[in-house]
Amino acid sequence: MGYEPIWLKQAPLPAGAEHPASIAEAVELELSVLRSLSEAFVWSYLVTEALPEEGYEVLVGEGKADILGGSYAGVLYGIFDAERQLLLTDTVVSVSERPASPLRMLNHWDNADGSIERGYSGLSFFFRDGVLSVNDRTFAYARLCASVGINASVINNVNVFKDATWLITDRYLPVLRKLAECFGAYGIKLYLCVNFAASIEVGGLASADPLEPEVAEFWKKTVAHIYEVIPDFGGFLVKADSEGRPGPYTYGRTQADGANMLAKALAPFGGKLIWRCFVYNCSQDWRDVTTDRACAAYDTFRPLDGAFDENVILQVKNGPVDFQVGEPVSPLFCGMKNTNLMLEVQAAQEYTGQQKHVCYLIPMWKDVLRFHTCAYEKADRVSDIVCGAHRPGGNCGIAAVINTGDDDNWTGADLAAANWYGFGRLCWKPQLSAEEIASEWAGLTFGTDSAVRKILVKVLLASYGIYEKYTAPLGIGWMCNPNNHYGPNVDGYEYDRWGTYHRSSCKAIGVDRTGTGTGYSHQYPEALAAKFDNPETTPMAHMLFFHRLPYTYVLPNGKTVIQHIYDTHFEGVEELMDLIESVVTVQGLIPEKEYTRIMERFAMQLASAKEWRDRINTYYCRMSGIGDAKHRKIYAVSEEDLTYPEA
Ligand code: GCU
């Protein structure tokens, strides 16, 4: 299978170019690309300690441009900046840049057999049938990542099974070394997910107890050997005690005991230990209305604030539950002042249309990053925290569960590549607007024809809001089909064990998560708790996340809950149809192959959006017995069963 250069298509490498064996070679190679793009400047570069390690300056003078970097990686980023400027504006101006976030990381959920958990773009391009390979595509991947500033990649699934448990052994280390060298040539560090029970499964020990000296010794030896083979190895990412994966709880130990044991093995080599906070009870009884999954991560980790070693970073999903549309920001960002934190977002659109629906996630990620945690007097946004404003030392950052696979266009949907591109750009510079990022991506991918660019930017910017409108209402989440998480199923998760309930009755909908409900809202600092406790001050996007409300409750926009549900679901589909029509106007200006692929996805999206609209509207019409004030088509029951609000 081939692969396309997507946003680097206008900056091809010279024909027959060899893969760079070092970052110095990558710089030379990329400089040759720059020279081929513009002869108007004499290009040169310099590595200088005067700049921060990954920072750069492009200094444009009369007929010349110098690229200064704090390291070769900095120079490389500077060259990509100049390439981007040339392609988008035909010229280059001086800039001075440094990355906001120290770790700008991709999390691949690739399994050793080649499948990808929640992957919607084909199979893995790293693994196939237990074999890991390094090839042209791996280099192309590294180049794409570096071009948007990504500097770390975890290549395997957080759920580490079977062959993947052996990645830390000599069965894989020689090829991992090659991969680390390929990545290293583009300033990217290789990380692995590890199985917390590897001391048993690989080491042959009877235990994985983190306080058992033998277990700690196993990890010390294992890590020392990894660094012998791969001197610039990045570290580990761990999913423990979550959804059936092993962890310290089995031995009555804390999450800190588990993380610190691994961190101590990595510390002598400068390795980092990234520990996920996605820990909750996934065997809940749906009859139990006192346990609230949203509370789990904070309840687990808040008492451990300050108990983690310096090279441990806790990786926190953006919301308290699981990448649902309309989740509030995780309160862990407010409550862990003495712990290194990393934000985890999901570019793979598991719950946002699985790369069949256009859903540009940058606006949502920006909302998360600019959220005021109210935990500090100054610099209290999530972006400040994950960029190290309060805990300098570089042990923080942003990770995306990434949306790539071995499809020719990498992301299945052409437009989904904007999420990969945008993730890198946003980590580098969170203050870039969603529109700027979309416009850059569209210009690089489809050229600078203003009609095309304008339409694509419009489509991307509107997409999240539209998706939100026709799916689960007002931040309630989880109305999807179980397991595959695609398409509507209002009660799909209602009587299940996953802690994911909407508890709709004939009168009301939602879970009361206020101080008088499950208490979730009080995991936030007082000012936020007060805001979320009151439906009049709760953002509409999270309304039913925090409150259980009668269908007749009048929302801040003046509509009743039920009418808001109807209106948004009808509008979502209508707005999607308008969007599709606007793309039709640029047919012929977008290459046919891409245009056809985009239209095929739109057809799937529209069919699915209609299904969402009709199922949600019908369900709530039947449940509430209240008709649509605008009398649009709902597949309700007989008219006699319905009451209508007075006009
Ligand atoms: C979700 C997802 C799983 C994944 C998990 C995680 O629950 O559906 O496939 O393993 O998140 O983030 O660990």
Side-chain angles (χ1 to χ4, degrees):
M1 210 183 275
Y3 56 87
E4 298 166 15
I6 48 174
W7 67 75
L8 289 178
K9 71 166 72 136
Q10 301 177 74
L13 290 173
E18 304 248 311
H19 295 316
S22 66
I23 193 158
E25 281 186 30
V27 161
E28 288 298 341
L29 190 60
E30 219 53 56
L31 211 55
S32 71
V33 174
L34 201 46
R35 290 190 179 116
S36 72
L37 292 178
S38 172
E39 288 172 0
F41 301 96
V42 175
W43 300 95
S44 63
Y45 76 88
L46 180 74
V47 176
T48 162
E49 282 177 9
L51 291 175
E53 201 187 333
E54 294 182 303
Y56 63 83
E57 284 180 4
V58 178
L59 297 177
V60 181
E62 195 66 25
K64 70 179 184 118
D66 299 326
I67 298 180
L68 275 49
S71 62
Y72 277 103
V75 173
L76 198 57
Y77 297 141
I79 298 175
F80 280 120
D81 186 317
E83 287 182 13
R84 188 163 54 234
Q85 290 196 47
L86 280 173
L87 292 170
L88 295 176
T89 66
D90 241 2
T91 188
V92 185
V93 296
S94 297
V95 290
S96 174
E97 291 277 343
R98 65 187 60 187
S101 166
L103 276 169
R104 307 176 298 280
M105 175 181 267
L106 301 188
N107 289 182
H108 291 267
W109 284 1
D110 293 23
N111 296 313
D113 65 3
S115 61
I116 302 179
E117 180 150 341
R118 313 304 176 187
Y120 312 104
S121 321
L123 296 173
S124 171
F125 52 79
F126 293 121
F127 298 99
R128 189 62 43 88
D129 300 325
V131 177
L132 171 67
S133 31
V134 182
N135 50 37
D136 289 352
R137 187 157 187 155
T138 336
F139 277 88
Y141 160 82
R143 183 172 181 243
L144 281 163
C145 285
S147 75
V148 291
I150 283 157
N151 67 356
S153 177
V154 191
I155 59 160
N156 64 308
N157 188 1
V158 286
N159 296 310
V160 186
F161 301 108
K162 299 181 189 158
D163 286 335
T165 301
W166 294 81
L167 282 167
I168 52 175
T169 71
D170 279 331
R171 193 195 291 180
Y172 285 102
L173 286 176
V175 60
L176 281 168
R177 178 194 172 106
K178 283 196 189 133
L179 185 60
E181 283 167 358
C182 157
F183 282 7
Y186 284 97
I188 300 163
K189 273 197 195 274
L190 171 72
Y191 284 70
L192 292 175
C193 284
V194 294
N195 182 337
F196 194 79
S199 55
I200 302 172
E201 293 183 32
V202 168
L205 301 180
S207 167
D209 180 350
L211 299 192
E212 180 68 55
E214 270 190 343
V215 173
E217 198 47 38
F218 162 81
W219 281 105
K220 270 193 189 146
K221 278 200 183 129
T222 301
V223 168
H225 185 55
I226 293 175
Y227 277 92
E228 227 167 62
V229 182
I230 310 170
D232 61 349
F233 181 68
F236 296 148
L237 169 64
V238 187
K239 172 177 179 176
D241 290 316
S242 170
E243 302 185 329
R245 301 314 300 144
Y249 280 172
T250 309
Y251 307 95
R253 311 301 185 196
T254 69
Q255 298 294 297
D257 293 332
N260 291 342
M261 182 274 291
L262 291 170
K264 285 190 171 58
L266 289 156
F269 310 96
K272 299 186 199 297
L273 191 274
I274 303 166
W275 189 267
R276 295 178 87 226
C277 293
F278 188 58
V279 177
Y280 69 99
N281 171 10
C282 66
S283 301
Q284 197 178 322
D285 185 338
W286 60 268
R287 298 167 190 85
D288 167 14
V289 291
T290 57
T291 308
D292 180 7
R293 171 170 166 185
C295 296
Y298 188 92
D299 284 348
T300 304
F301 287 94
R302 175 69 182 79
L304 297 172
D305 185 29
F308 292 91
D309 287 4
E310 178 50 32
N311 64 331
V312 176
I313 309 172
L314 295 190
Q315 185 164 302
V316 182
K317 285 193 182 186
N318 61 268
V321 187
D322 194 5
F323 301 134
Q324 301 301 296
V325 171
E327 274 187 60
V329 168
S330 169
L332 280 171
F333 290 109
C334 312
M336 303 292 288
K337 288 180 158 183
N338 304 302
T339 304
N340 297 319
L341 294 179
M342 203 154 153
L343 166 68
E344 176 179 322
V345 297
Q346 194 187 44
Q349 297 166 233
E350 177 178 358
Y351 295 100
T352 48
Q354 305 198 347
Q355 289 150 243
K356 293 188 176 82
H357 299 227
V358 186
C359 197
Y360 179 57
L361 294 161
I362 307 300
M364 191 270 269
W365 297 340
K366 279 190 67 71
D367 285 348
V368 173
L369 287 167
R370 65 177 160 227
F371 177 78
H372 285 288
T373 60
C374 298
Y376 298 89
E377 259 178 34
K378 277 191 194 143
D380 78 331
R381 293 176 190 259
V382 170
S383 59
D384 298 315
I385 293 163
V386 298
C387 294
H390 304 286
R391 298 183 59 79
N395 288 325
C396 54
I398 315 178
V401 178
I402 200 58
N403 56 359
T404 53
D406 75 346
D407 279 357
D408 289 0
N409 64 356
W410 300 82
T411 51
D414 290 81
L415 303 189
N419 286 329
W420 177 14
Y421 178 90
F423 171 73
R425 296 289 290 136
L426 198 60
C427 294
W428 186 280
K429 201 171 189 172
Q431 59 276 32
L432 283 172
S433 72
E435 183 170 355
E436 282 168 310
I437 293 173
S439 176
E440 279 183 9
W441 170 82
L444 295 172
T445 308
F446 291 103
T448 48
D449 179 291
S450 63
V452 174
R453 211 163 159 195
K454 218 168 118 191
I455 296 285
L456 290 177
V457 170
K458 181 177 111 173
V459 168
L460 291 177
L461 290 180
S463 60
Y464 187 86
I466 290 177
Y467 186 81
E468 186 176 24
K469 279 187 169 181
Y470 63 70
T471 54
L474 296 162
I476 197 149
W478 293 109
M479 293 183 173
C480 56
N481 281 299
N483 306 320
N484 77 353
H485 300 165
Y486 187 76
N489 186 343
V490 183
D491 283 334
Y493 273 106
E494 191 57 15
Y495 304 103
D496 219 324
R497 64 183 171 95
W498 299 94
T500 47
Y501 316 114
H502 54 77
R503 303 212 172 95
S504 302
S505 72
C506 61
K507 293 267 189 309
I509 169 174
V511 177
D512 179 0
R513 294 195 165 99
T514 65
T516 49
T518 70
Y520 166 78
S521 63
H522 285 239
Q523 293 186 338
Y524 296 91
E526 236 175 271
L528 289 172
K531 177 175 166 181
F532 295 144
D533 271 353
N534 181 353
E536 278 169 28
T537 50
T538 301
M540 288 274 281
H542 313 318
M543 192 59 82
L544 295 177
F545 190 92
F546 283 103
H547 302 284
R548 176 168 184 80
L549 297 175
Y551 297 112
T552 50
Y553 179 86
V554 180
L555 294 164
N557 66 359
K559 293 182 186 186
T560 59
V561 167
I562 189 72
Q563 195 56 42
H564 182 85
I565 293 175
Y566 296 147
D567 286 353
T568 48
H569 285 77
F570 283 112
E571 280 162 22
V573 173
E574 279 156 24
E575 287 169 20
L576 175 62
M577 293 199 287
D578 289 348
L579 223 52
I580 297 173
E581 263 169 42
S582 70
V583 177
V584 173
T585 64
V586 290
Q587 180 173 20
L589 300 175
I590 293 179
E592 204 183 318
K593 185 169 65 173
E594 280 90 331
Y595 181 82
T596 308
R597 285 194 303 225
I598 290 170
M599 282 300 159
E600 278 167 8
R601 301 266 159 171
F602 269 141
M604 292 190 262
Q605 178 175 5
L606 185 57
S608 173
K610 287 180 178 169
E611 193 65 22
W612 272 101
R613 174 196 64 193
D614 293 338
R615 288 229 199 178
I616 299 282
N617 284 345
T618 300
Y619 182 98
Y620 284 103
C621 187
R622 290 180 185 176
M623 187 63 106
S624 68
I626 303 172
D628 169 29
K630 297 181 189 159
H631 296 275
R632 288 160 293 193
K633 181 72 188 159
I634 294 179
Y635 302 82
V637 274
S638 60
E639 277 294 310
E640 295 88 76
D641 292 349
L642 301 180
T643 57
Y644 284 88
E646 283 169 32

